[in-house]
């Protein structure tokens, strides 16, 4: 006897027949001895139809009225499903978000859930009823019952939040695909179904454009230890289990707006090696990291900044005790990797290797960083208030890492813990040898790259730039601060590059140009024609050569890498947009993700 939350997406309730099939499945779950709360989306593409309807009346409908309109879609499907259940002899009752008591913040069209009342739900469950709850909606004000919605695709989030509030045994997400795949099967037909994935991995993938799950749903599952499974509503196949690895789930308070940052980590055992002005052509990163992997050197952070002219800078960190060895590799490679123009022209500086034998890496991690640009900005601001200069910045969806001088580490972590109200711990680079180094590959074609050049290299610049963007709700991904410093007059300058969602490009560029004007030699460049390809896997920690294999796969296809960033469990590369799909296919196959061995397990070469 358990309590199960089942969520059915739009296609699963897209017609009368499908609603009846869902009712049957729900009833079977009850017959197996479970209490069931069902969350449904609007039927088929009806939310899209409502959006179109609004647009035929107003080009910019106000967000409150959009919520009033879009929330009706779910009201149709909950009542019909409830009728279908009653028709087959299963007691059921449908409830809107307001009737349940799903309270959200007052942000129309993108509200986060604050709390969910459980008394009415529990009462109906006790009466032996299946409760059918409208997904994607809540109310922001208990008195006025202002209707809010959670953002497109938000029914997943409703379901997992209900599971957390009711402490359900499992949250089952039913959809029209068999579960979570190694990559998008429309682009890579060999994509394989995963039996299991951790919340951390899923969070990265979900926000990287793998559309199976709303990232916020994964965030809640992660924070509150909800056991979740994604499976097909057409078959009885087991689907993909999403496992939460958090030992002690957070207490339920301010559900989605709890602490955005779960922890501050530092690592004082790293050394930084930077190669300046290496050639910007395919194969350079592959050769360098291939040799490092060959020598069994485990590289942690890698960043490569946007190219300038025909050269790039690549910087990475390794364990201090392997610093000399890594430096030797970099030095041996330097001349080979110099660009042709440098070889021809004596005016251009040759490539150069810079070593800093002890740096500190400080990171903030947490599912709540997703979609909240002010968090990274706040981190930069905190460090700049202390006068700490950021050397490298590398970000992923759930992690922002900076390298700073080792002597600044203690001050930095103390301040960050205070600001984000969390504990600090030395980073434990636990290797997960039993997990595959790469679980999935994602392609994001909806990003644009922006760079601001000649930013004075002094504390506070990154904070200023990313605070400005955050104030306009622009989420930034893959922030990269170049290693190369360019003296202009008496000022040392650096470039800062990052990616944003393509739809935010115009606004971000305008804001950046305003900042550039206040700098003496600031200059902004933008590139819409990019693709971001990422590999994700917890098993890559402590597993040398994973990044190298990705770079080699790209090199083999003659695909040039424009930018690189990494987190502990992810490596992302920016390539030119038109090579995105080829890059995805090459990388997916390089990790053997399309092959099954005899036992039906994926083979990891
Ligand atoms: N009906 C809403 C949408 O289409 C919510 C959902 O389906 O999750 O975005
Ligand atoms: Mg959906």
């Amino acid at each position: 006897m358990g309590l199960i939350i089942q969520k059915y997406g739009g296609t699963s309730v897209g017609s009368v027949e499908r609603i009846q099939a869902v009712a049957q499945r729900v009833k079977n779950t009850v017959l197996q001895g479970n209490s069931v709360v069902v969350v449904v989306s609007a039927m088929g593409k009806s939310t899209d139809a409502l959006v179109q309807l609004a647009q035929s009346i107003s080009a910019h409908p106000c967000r409150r009225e959009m919520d009033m309109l879009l929330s009706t879609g779910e009201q149709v499907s909950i009542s019909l499903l409830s009728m279908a259940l009653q028709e087959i002899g299963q007691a059921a009752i449908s409830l809107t978000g307001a009737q349940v008591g799903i309270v959200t913040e007052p942000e129309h069209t993108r509200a986060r859930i604050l709390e969910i009342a459980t008394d009415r739900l529990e009462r109906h469950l006790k009466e032996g009823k299946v409760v059918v709850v409208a997904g994607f909606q809540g109310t922001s004000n208990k008195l006025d019952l202002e209707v809010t919605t959670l953002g497109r695709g938000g029914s997943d989030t409703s379901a997992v939040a209900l599971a957390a509030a009711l402490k359900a045994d499992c949250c089952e997400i039913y959809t029209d695909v068999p579960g979570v795949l190694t990559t998008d099967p429309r682009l890579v037909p060999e994509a394989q179904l995963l039996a299991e994935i951790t919340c951390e991995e899923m969070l990265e993938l979900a926000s990287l454009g793998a559309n199976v799950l709303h990232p916020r749903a994964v965030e809640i599952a992660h924070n509150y230890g909800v056991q979740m499974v994604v499976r097909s509503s057409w078959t009885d196949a087991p689907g993909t289990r999403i496992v939460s690895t958090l030992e002690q789930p957070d207490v339920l308070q301010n559900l989605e707006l709890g602490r955005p940052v779960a922890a501050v980590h530092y690592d004082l055992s790293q050394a930084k090696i930077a190669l300046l002005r290496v050639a910007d052509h395919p194969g350079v990163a592959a050769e360098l990291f291939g040799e490092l992997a060959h020598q069994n050197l485990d590289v942690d952070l890698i960043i490569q900044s946007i190219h300038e002219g025909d050269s790039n800078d690549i910087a990475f960190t390794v364990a201090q005790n392997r610093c000399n060895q890594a430096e030797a590799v970099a030095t041996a490679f330097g001349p080979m990797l110099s660009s042709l123009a440098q070889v021809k022209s004596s005016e251009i500086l040759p490539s150069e290797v810079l070593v800093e034998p002890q740096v500190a890496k400080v990171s903030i991690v947490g599912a709540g960083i997703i979609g909240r640009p002010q968090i990274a900005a706040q981190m930069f601001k905190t460090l700049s208030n202390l006068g700490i200069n950021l050397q490298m910045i590398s970000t992923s969806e759930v992690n922002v890492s900076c390298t700073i001088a080792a002597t600044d580490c203690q001050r930095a972590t103390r301040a960050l813990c205070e600001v984000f109200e969390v504990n600090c711990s030395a980073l434990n680079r636990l290797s997960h040898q039993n997990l595959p180094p790469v679980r999935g590959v994602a392609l994001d074609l909806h990003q644009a790259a922006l760079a601001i050049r000649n930013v004075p290299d002094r504390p506070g610049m990154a904070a200023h730039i990313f605070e400005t963007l955050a104030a306009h709700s622009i989420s930034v991904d893959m922030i990269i601060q170049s290693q190369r410093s360019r003296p202009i007059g008496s000022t040392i300058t650096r470039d800062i590059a990052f990616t944003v969602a393509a739809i935010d490009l115009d606004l971000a560029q305008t804001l950046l140009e305003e900042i550039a004007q206040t700098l003496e030699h600031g200059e902004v460049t933008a590139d819409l024609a990019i693709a971001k390809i990422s590999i994700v896997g917890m098993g890559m920690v402590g597993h040398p050569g994973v990044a190298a294999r990705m770079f080699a796969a790209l090199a083999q296809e003659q695909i040039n890498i424009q930018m690189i960033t990494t987190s502990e469990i992810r490596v992302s590369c920016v390539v030119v947009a038109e090579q995105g799909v080829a890059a995805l296919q090459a990388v997916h196959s390089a990790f053997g993700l399309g092959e099954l061995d005899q036992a039906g397990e994926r083979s990891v070469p």
Side-chain angles (χ1 to χ4, degrees):
M1 181 83 184
L3 171 58
I4 296 181
I5 314 295
Q6 296 190 332
K7 181 261 172 178
Y8 293 91
T11 16
S12 308
V13 292
S15 67
V16 168
E17 293 71 32
R18 288 182 177 179
I19 290 177
Q20 287 166 333
V22 165
Q24 197 56 58
R25 192 185 274 272
V26 173
K27 186 179 178 188
N28 292 345
T29 314
V30 175
L31 290 177
Q32 285 155 17
N34 300 295
S35 301
V36 184
V37 173
V38 186
V39 176
V40 281
S41 295
M43 289 174 71
K45 300 242 171 283
S46 59
T47 311
D48 291 332
L50 291 171
V51 170
Q52 270 181 1
L53 202 55
Q55 266 156 7
S56 54
I57 297 224
S58 159
H60 299 288
C62 96
R63 292 179 25 209
R64 179 187 185 276
E65 301 307 332
M66 281 309 282
D67 277 353
M68 286 300 271
L69 179 66
L70 297 196
S71 60
T72 62
E74 273 71 13
Q75 203 169 329
V76 171
S77 46
I78 53 169
S79 48
L80 292 177
L81 178 57
S82 195
M83 290 176 203
L85 282 162
Q86 291 162 4
E87 205 55 36
I88 55 172
Q90 172 59 56
I93 180 169
S94 64
L95 297 177
T96 62
Q99 289 174 312
V100 170
I102 298 179
V103 181
T104 72
E105 57 177 342
E107 276 282 336
H108 285 294
T109 74
R110 51 168 181 240
R112 292 200 180 229
I113 298 174
L114 297 176
E115 59 182 290
I116 298 183
T118 54
D119 31 341
R120 183 157 182 196
L121 290 169
E122 278 157 358
R123 191 171 82 230
H124 292 313
L125 289 173
K126 259 199 211 111
E127 294 162 353
K129 288 179 183 155
V130 165
V131 190
V132 187
V133 178
F136 170 63
Q137 57 175 263
T139 53
S140 66
N141 184 316
K142 280 186 191 159
L143 266 184
D144 290 339
L145 293 183
E146 272 299 295
V147 176
T148 50
T149 65
L150 311 183
R152 296 304 306 272
S155 295
D156 294 343
T157 297
S158 308
V160 182
L162 278 160
L166 289 165
K167 303 203 170 34
D169 297 291
C170 184
C171 182
E172 303 175 343
I173 307 281
Y174 286 92
T175 169
D176 52 355
V177 293
V180 181
L181 302 184
T182 51
T183 192
D184 185 342
R186 287 165 303 180
L187 301 176
V188 186
E190 301 81 46
Q192 296 290 328
L193 179 69
L194 295 165
E196 184 179 293
I197 186 167
T198 65
C199 278
E200 286 97 325
E201 293 168 323
M202 193 61 223
L203 262 175
E204 298 267 11
L205 284 173
S207 356
L208 287 167
N211 272 325
V212 255
L213 276 178
H214 204 227
R216 278 163 53 191
V218 189
E219 173 182 344
I220 298 171
H222 181 55
N223 286 346
Y224 300 102
V226 174
Q227 295 307 320
M228 192 171 24
V229 47
V230 180
R231 50 194 292 210
S232 160
S233 35
W234 324 130
T235 70
D236 283 322
T240 306
R241 279 188 316 280
I242 318 248
V243 292
S244 168
T245 52
L246 260 182
E247 277 165 29
Q248 247 189 340
D250 279 3
V251 283
L252 214 71
Q253 196 188 22
N254 263 346
L255 219 150
E256 275 197 271
L257 285 183
R259 282 182 279 111
V261 172
V264 171
H265 291 310
Y266 67 89
D267 184 352
L268 270 169
S269 68
Q270 300 207 0
K272 182 184 83 178
I273 295 179
L275 268 97
L276 306 191
R277 296 177 293 273
V278 297
D280 178 37
H281 65 67
V284 169
E287 271 183 61
L288 173 64
F289 291 97
E291 182 54 27
L292 291 165
H294 183 66
Q295 301 208 13
N296 211 22
L297 282 156
D298 188 17
V299 173
D300 182 27
L301 280 185
I302 303 175
I303 65 171
Q304 179 192 289
S305 55
I306 34 118
H307 56 96
E308 178 193 44
D310 69 345
S311 80
N312 277 326
D313 302 337
I314 301 178
F316 57 93
T317 62
V318 289
Q320 260 153 39
N321 57 5
R322 308 294 298 274
C323 176
N324 291 343
Q325 202 181 346
E327 180 183 0
V329 173
T331 312
F333 265 81
M336 276 188 271
L337 302 179
S338 294
S339 70
L340 277 177
Q342 288 160 10
V343 177
K344 282 191 213 127
S345 152
S346 53
E347 281 150 47
I348 304 173
L349 290 165
S351 67
E352 177 186 359
V353 176
L354 298 179
V355 177
E356 194 161 332
Q358 189 184 22
V359 294
K361 180 175 90 168
V362 288
S363 317
I364 54 171
V365 294
I369 297 173
I370 296 179
R372 277 177 232 169
Q374 55 292 1
I375 306 291
Q378 209 175 351
M379 175 182 193
F380 302 150
K381 180 82 189 162
T382 306
L383 297 177
S384 84
N385 283 348
L386 297 170
I388 295 174
N389 203 18
L390 308 179
Q391 303 174 346
M392 293 163 84
I393 302 172
S394 189
T395 55
S396 82
E397 306 301 324
V398 291
N399 173 311
V400 183
S401 296
C402 303
T403 64
I404 57 176
T407 46
D408 287 330
C409 183
Q410 208 185 0
R411 289 193 302 142
T413 49
R414 198 179 292 149
L416 289 171
C417 287
E418 219 162 88
V419 166
F420 295 114
E421 298 174 5
V422 289
N423 293 329
C424 170
S425 59
L427 187 65
N428 188 356
R429 271 176 50 88
L430 269 187
S431 74
H432 299 269
Q433 295 293 5
N434 49 340
L435 295 181
V438 176
R439 192 86 79 161
V441 190
L443 175 68
D444 189 345
L445 288 167
H446 305 289
Q447 300 245 331
L450 272 167
I452 175 160
R453 297 183 185 279
N454 306 331
V455 178
D457 184 27
R458 60 169 183 256
M461 292 311 302
H464 177 50
I465 292 169
F466 295 109
E467 267 179 337
T468 307
L469 295 171
H472 292 80
S473 290
I474 297 176
S475 273
V476 175
D477 190 33
M478 278 190 82
I479 302 173
I480 296 177
Q481 179 172 272
S482 79
Q483 274 305 301
R484 187 180 319 189
S485 49
R486 198 180 306 104
I488 294 187
S490 57
T491 330
I492 302 289
T493 71
R494 286 190 197 279
D495 302 338
I496 296 180
F498 52 90
T499 60
V500 293
I503 45 164
D504 287 335
L505 177 66
D506 288 346
L507 178 56
Q509 190 172 355
T510 310
L511 294 168
L512 222 53
E513 266 153 12
E514 282 165 18
I515 295 175
Q517 269 164 23
T518 66
L519 307 175
E520 230 170 303
H521 299 274
E523 185 192 314
V524 175
T525 59
D527 184 359
L528 198 56
I530 63 160
K532 185 174 79 179
I533 163 136
S534 311
I535 53 175
V536 174
M538 285 181 84
M540 73 174 63
V541 178
H543 196 133
V546 175
R549 188 183 298 171
M550 178 183 192
F551 304 153
L554 296 174
Q556 207 163 16
E557 299 298 312
Q558 292 296 309
I559 296 172
N560 193 28
I561 303 172
Q562 300 177 356
M563 292 161 81
I564 304 170
T565 51
T566 61
S567 76
E568 253 101 62
I569 67 165
R570 157 177 157 188
V571 182
S572 296
C573 297
V574 166
V575 302
V576 61
E578 61 193 24
Q579 290 181 318
V581 175
L584 177 69
Q585 289 164 345
V587 172
H588 189 265
S589 120
F591 288 97
L593 295 177
E595 301 150 30
L596 289 178
D597 66 18
Q598 302 301 46
E601 297 278 309
R602 264 186 298 108
S603 56
V604 181

